[in-house]
Amino acid sequence: MSEATHPDYLECLLKSWQAKPAESLSWLNQLRAQAIDRVSTQKLPTKRDEEWRFTDISSLTRLPYRPSQPDSNLHIQDIQHLFLDEVKNRLVFVDGHFSRQLSVIANPAFTIGNLPELLSTHAPILESHLGQYARFDSNVFTALNTAFLRDGAVIIAPKNTVVAEPIHVLFIATQSEVTHYPRCLFIGESGSRVTLIEDYAALEKAAYITNAITEISLAANARAQHIRLQRESTQAFHLANCAVSLAHASNYQSISIALGSRISRYNLDVRLTDEAAECVVDGLTVISDRQLADTHTCIDHSKPGGTSHQLHKCIADDTAHAVFNGKIIVRPHAQRTNSSQSSRNLLLSKTAQVDTKPQLEIFADDVKCSHGATVGQLDQEEIFYLRSRGLSEKAARNLLTYAFGAEIISRIPVTSLRQQLEQAVLDQTQSNSL
Amino acid sequence: MIIENSPTILSVQGLRASINGTEILKGIDLTVRSGEIHAIMGLNGSGKSTFAKVLAGHSAYEVTGGIIQFEGKNLLELPPEERARAGLFLAFQYPIEIPGVANTQFLRLAYNTVQAQRGKEELDPLEFDDFVREKMKLLEMKPDFLDRSVNEGFSGGEKKRNEILQMALLEPKLSILDETDSGLDIDALKIVASGVNRLTNKDNATILVTHYQRLLDYIVPDFVHIMQAGRIVMTGGKELALELETRGYDWISANKQQAMAGVRA
């Protein structure tokens, strides 16, 4: 397998970049220009880069996908099956482009909309947050997304606003051989409370590239539940970065589910920038065939009294390959940090592979940190227990596999989504397992 | 209860079994008739838990000789699930935990699987809920027990009660209780024992596998068998367990012959 990067891959992409957004704002144009500068000085990562050593994306360079063009042929009935009953506000992006007719904005007590529309009314707040968390100095994909930044989901929850219903941001891929650049910005002002569902789905088995960025900023005492669902086409590349910044006593709860894509890479960076911030970062990967799903998380405790808990699970069948790299940083002043991390992995076939790497960098002495990782197959004693209750071997295996994933899914606070996912995991594990 | 001429449920003759090439069971003979309660006692390593698992069909053990007839069927030909559906039940010494599956889902799945096999009607979640709650009273179980994941975070006593609840739901012909008393305090032991006593009747049979006599104060056996080194070396009535309690297992070796002439040849 060649790791050589096609030399002009990035060049091809850059040629398609044009510095002329309709809503020219100097700060935004500047951001885009800085990003394009960074792209031209960087290279695509290869397996020789430590951060990418399990994930070979060289095949990406054989497909110099052009940025997608807006295509508004989609009707509501085409995507209705992806909707969630509890949702009152939904933003829909088709191939990265905002679709007004597929979106529903129920005149809420908070700001929600597409980035270009909000630039005139919310310029100062957007300027102070957009591009401030997902830094592009050393990440070529973040730089590319920022360079191509145009549409994007923006949600701003004002001070002390509690939004009862979850907000659904749905990115739908319809075209083959294009690259899209989804972008989300979520700002939770102090004391606000929101549930956000970030959802990547495809309507066909198309090959395309998603290069997504999400930025989340929680002010003091704000709370956010962030459910991220990657159910892209199994021929797609999904490269995503999510950067979260947590202020004093804020609380961030994240559940990331990865089911789709031929190759996916999700980087989640959570920074606890002030005292007593809390986060729960859970993940579930369920893959089969030749899928590769790589999750890199970094939880960075920089101030005292922070808490982070993480449970990441992978189920890999056939020749699928799952990667989990969980970095926890506890900086020198971050005393009384309480952090736990657990990586649990289930291999359903002899040829499936999991690489899991806890990475703890602790520079404070008064901390409580635990971590553990397991990789295994279904337990023979567990199978025997279920068979001794009358279940067939197949039913026993299916139930145990399902249960392994259901532990994460059961934590999702949105009933209809939980049901969709339970069914999806059921379908995937039952059709593929032995 | 010993009933004259009651039908044989289980007949084991010359059973030998090994694990990883090491022979654990070295020729076991045992006949269990309808209505009877048998206790199998022995020290750790005597093979009594292995015997229980071999009866239930655990694949780690290789049966190298002998026959097992269960209600006239050749049990050794059946995989574990078919033994369960045929009416054989093993209450585990260490019941497994299944995080992510609600106890009620699991219980209903097991119940309906066995019901379907017997040509009886399956229950939907609501019907099952009523049914299982009634059975739970038998074991003084709290209702939240249904919503929790299977055995996850259960105390030792709760796990054992959950085993007996499954026995109550599945209504087996033959129940094998493997060290059901281990890890139970006296109150839990009484609840579990009274549950078992209410489930035994003239049409089914029970094998209690235990190390200690204590359980037998509450579930009174008709026969007591002592296992040593993979064989039943002594068989007697319930008084044998008491004698064992006072004299210890050392006494067995010296008196094997005498007791082998036991209650039933």
Side-chain angles (χ1 to χ4, degrees):
Chain A
M1 201 183 299
S2 162
E3 284 184 32
T5 300
H6 203 273
D8 54 11
Y9 170 68
L10 290 174
E11 248 169 70
C12 284
L13 277 179
L14 292 179
K15 273 182 207 153
S16 62
W17 184 79
Q18 297 150 329
K20 50 159 191 173
E23 51 300 296
S24 302
L25 270 184
S26 62
W27 66 268
L28 186 55
N29 268 334
Q30 217 174 350
L31 187 70
R32 287 162 44 107
Q34 283 166 2
I36 204 80
D37 279 349
R38 292 307 302 176
V39 176
S40 47
T41 64
Q42 292 182 66
K43 283 191 237 155
L44 280 189
T46 70
K47 289 181 80 174
R48 286 186 295 276
D49 293 286
E50 178 60 24
E51 287 291 295
W52 289 84
R53 75 187 170 103
F54 297 114
T55 301
D56 180 6
I57 52 166
S58 56
S59 50
L60 191 74
T61 62
R62 281 177 233 126
L63 310 160
Y65 296 150
R66 299 291 185 274
S68 64
Q69 296 305 313
D71 173 14
S72 58
N73 290 332
L74 216 55
H75 295 287
I76 207 132
Q77 43 284 27
D78 301 327
I79 60 167
Q80 232 159 7
H81 62 287
L82 301 168
F83 293 171
L84 302 166
D85 297 340
E86 296 86 345
V87 167
K88 293 229 168 83
N89 290 279
R90 177 178 61 239
L91 297 179
V92 178
F93 294 80
V94 179
D95 301 315
H97 303 280
F98 180 61
S99 166
R100 172 167 305 284
Q101 88 224 42
L102 299 175
S103 300
V104 179
I105 296 173
N107 200 17
F110 58 98
T111 302
I112 176 169
N114 185 24
L115 176 65
E117 296 164 7
L118 296 170
L119 282 172
S120 55
T121 50
H122 293 75
I125 190 169
L126 291 174
E127 184 177 357
S128 62
H129 289 94
L130 191 67
Q132 301 307 304
Y133 310 104
R135 309 296 306 179
F136 47 76
D137 331 6
S138 58
N139 185 322
V140 67
F141 296 109
T142 308
L144 277 167
N145 178 291
T146 309
F148 286 95
L149 178 57
R150 192 183 169 281
D151 283 0
V154 175
I155 294 154
I156 306 170
K159 196 172 168 183
N160 296 330
T161 307
V162 175
V163 183
E165 306 81 23
I167 300 161
H168 193 186
V169 182
L170 181 56
F171 293 98
I172 297 177
T174 66
Q175 301 172 39
S176 266
E177 311 209 344
V178 293
T179 299
H180 15 98
Y181 298 98
R183 186 92 189 193
C184 287
L185 175 64
F186 171 70
I187 301 164
E189 295 187 344
S190 62
S192 63
R193 198 167 176 166
V194 164
T195 299
L196 185 68
I197 300 161
E198 181 187 349
D199 188 356
Y200 297 87
L203 294 183
E204 277 160 56
K205 261 206 167 181
Y208 55 88
I209 300 170
T210 298
N211 174 356
I213 304 289
T214 297
E215 294 179 285
I216 295 176
S217 166
L218 296 187
N221 300 305
R223 294 176 72 93
Q225 298 245 25
H226 176 204
I227 299 133
R228 182 182 204 280
L229 182 52
Q230 188 268 97
R231 39 179 165 176
E232 303 259 31
S233 148
T234 50
Q235 295 177 17
F237 287 84
H238 181 90
L239 304 156
N241 286 274
C242 177
V244 182
S245 174
L246 302 182
H248 186 268
S250 61
N251 181 300
Y252 172 68
Q253 303 198 19
S254 148
I255 300 173
S256 321
I257 312 282
L259 304 173
S261 299
R262 168 72 184 81
I263 292 177
S264 67
R265 167 66 177 254
Y266 180 50
N267 293 340
L268 172 61
D269 291 298
V270 183
R271 290 180 186 220
L272 290 73
T273 67
D274 205 343
E275 294 192 21
E278 298 176 349
C279 66
V280 179
V281 175
D282 294 328
L284 172 66
T285 294
V286 185
I287 49 172
S288 56
D289 295 323
R290 294 167 60 230
Q291 287 182 285
L292 185 157
D294 179 345
T295 304
H296 270 57
T297 64
C298 175
I299 299 171
D300 185 345
H301 294 263
S302 59
K303 288 286 162 62
T307 303
S308 66
H309 295 292
Q310 181 169 34
L311 173 60
H312 191 86
K313 289 186 148 189
C314 298
I315 303 174
D317 200 354
D318 305 322
T319 57
H321 182 185
V323 180
F324 172 67
N325 190 107
K327 190 192 276 190
I328 310 274
I329 304 173
V330 182
R331 295 189 187 269
H333 299 296
Q335 300 294 5
R336 303 187 316 282
T337 288
N338 182 353
S339 166
S340 68
Q341 179 189 73
S342 172
S343 160
R344 295 182 56 201
N345 303 284
L346 179 60
L347 297 172
L348 295 178
S349 80
K350 287 193 169 68
T351 46
Q353 186 184 343
V354 169
D355 289 291
T356 175
K357 185 173 147 202
Q359 205 181 338
L360 273 64
E361 298 178 3
I362 300 171
F363 303 101
D365 49 16
D366 179 17
V367 299
K368 203 168 109 186
C369 291
S370 66
H371 70 94
T374 58
V375 180
Q377 293 167 348
L378 290 174
D379 186 293
Q380 287 303 318
E381 294 301 317
E382 296 178 359
I383 293 170
F384 175 61
Y385 184 71
L386 294 175
R387 292 179 75 186
S388 79
R389 298 301 180 255
L391 276 66
S392 69
E393 179 167 8
K394 190 163 188 263
R397 286 178 176 278
N398 284 345
L399 181 67
L400 291 170
T401 306
Y402 165 74
F404 188 87
E407 189 185 5
I408 298 289
I409 292 171
S410 66
R411 298 180 178 195
I412 293 176
V414 183
T415 308
S416 64
L417 180 57
R418 202 164 53 230
Q419 286 165 351
Q420 274 190 21
L421 286 174
E422 280 167 355
Q423 195 54 51
V425 170
L426 216 53
D427 291 347
Q428 182 140 358
T429 55
Q430 321 283 287
S431 59
N432 291 313
S433 58
L434 314 162
Chain B
M1 73 198 84
I2 301 174
I3 307 165
E4 216 165 319
N5 297 326
S6 78
T8 298
I9 290 183
L10 181 77
S11 163
V12 180
Q13 289 164 47
L15 180 67
R16 290 175 172 270
S18 52
I19 185 165
N20 300 327
T22 307
E23 189 168 67
I24 309 284
L25 303 183
K26 298 173 180 171
I28 291 189
D29 300 305
L30 178 69
T31 301
V32 177
R33 294 193 171 91
S34 182
E36 295 174 351
I37 298 176
H38 290 243
I40 296 179
M41 301 184 71
L43 291 170
N44 289 336
S46 61
K48 59 190 193 300
S49 274
T50 297
F51 182 41
K53 285 181 190 164
V54 167
L55 288 175
H58 196 299
S59 62
Y61 299 94
E62 190 194 351
V63 174
T64 52
I67 51 173
I68 308 177
Q69 295 271 330
F70 179 67
E71 297 215 282
K73 286 189 278 279
N74 178 2
L75 197 69
L76 293 172
E77 281 180 351
L78 304 179
E81 57 270 32
E82 286 181 31
R83 298 183 193 197
R85 294 170 197 167
L88 186 143
F89 178 84
L90 172 64
F92 279 53
Q93 183 177 4
Y94 303 110
I96 64 148
E97 301 184 1
I98 317 176
V101 174
N103 207 22
T104 182
Q105 278 177 303
F106 164 67
L107 294 172
R108 192 168 74 89
L109 192 57
Y111 176 77
N112 279 344
T113 305
V114 171
Q115 285 295 100
Q117 181 74 16
R118 293 174 186 165
K120 292 184 186 162
E121 205 178 324
E122 300 183 25
L123 297 183
D124 70 28
L126 282 176
E127 294 167 332
F128 182 74
D129 199 62
D130 291 342
F131 177 67
V132 73
R133 277 172 201 276
E134 203 51 45
K135 298 281 184 189
M136 281 166 66
K137 288 184 191 156
L138 196 70
L139 293 153
E140 299 176 30
M141 294 162 101
K142 291 190 207 108
D144 76 332
F145 191 84
L146 288 175
D147 302 323
R148 292 158 67 188
S149 288
V150 181
N151 291 328
E152 191 192 22
F154 284 24
S155 69
E158 287 175 323
K159 283 184 182 170
K160 296 299 170 75
R161 276 191 241 184
N162 206 23
E163 293 294 285
I164 305 305
L165 176 63
Q166 290 166 48
M167 174 178 162
L169 292 172
L170 302 180
E171 298 180 336
K173 260 306 209 203
L174 175 66
S175 301
I176 304 153
L177 276 51
D178 189 7
E179 306 269 4
T180 292
D181 49 332
S182 70
L184 293 189
D185 61 33
I186 195 70
D187 293 332
L189 180 67
K190 282 181 184 171
I191 294 167
V192 165
S194 111
V196 172
N197 284 329
R198 288 163 69 174
L199 295 171
T200 56
N201 58 46
K202 65 177 177 47
D203 296 318
N204 62 24
T206 307
I207 298 175
L208 307 167
V209 174
T210 182
H211 189 128
Y212 300 105
Q213 191 268 337
R214 190 177 73 145
L215 175 68
L216 309 183
D217 287 341
Y218 300 97
I219 307 174
V220 180
D222 301 304
F223 299 96
V224 174
H225 310 275
I226 313 293
M227 268 188 84
Q228 222 169 39
R231 287 190 187 89
I232 291 176
V233 295
M234 197 181 276
T235 291
K238 63 176 186 245
E239 64 290 342
L240 179 56
L242 292 166
E243 186 141 19
L244 191 67
E245 181 79 355
T246 16
R247 300 200 184 200
Y249 279 98
D250 286 345
W251 161 76
I252 302 293
S253 319
N255 293 274
K256 266 184 207 172
Q257 296 309 319
Q258 175 200 327
M260 282 304 274
V263 180
R264 187 168 65 203

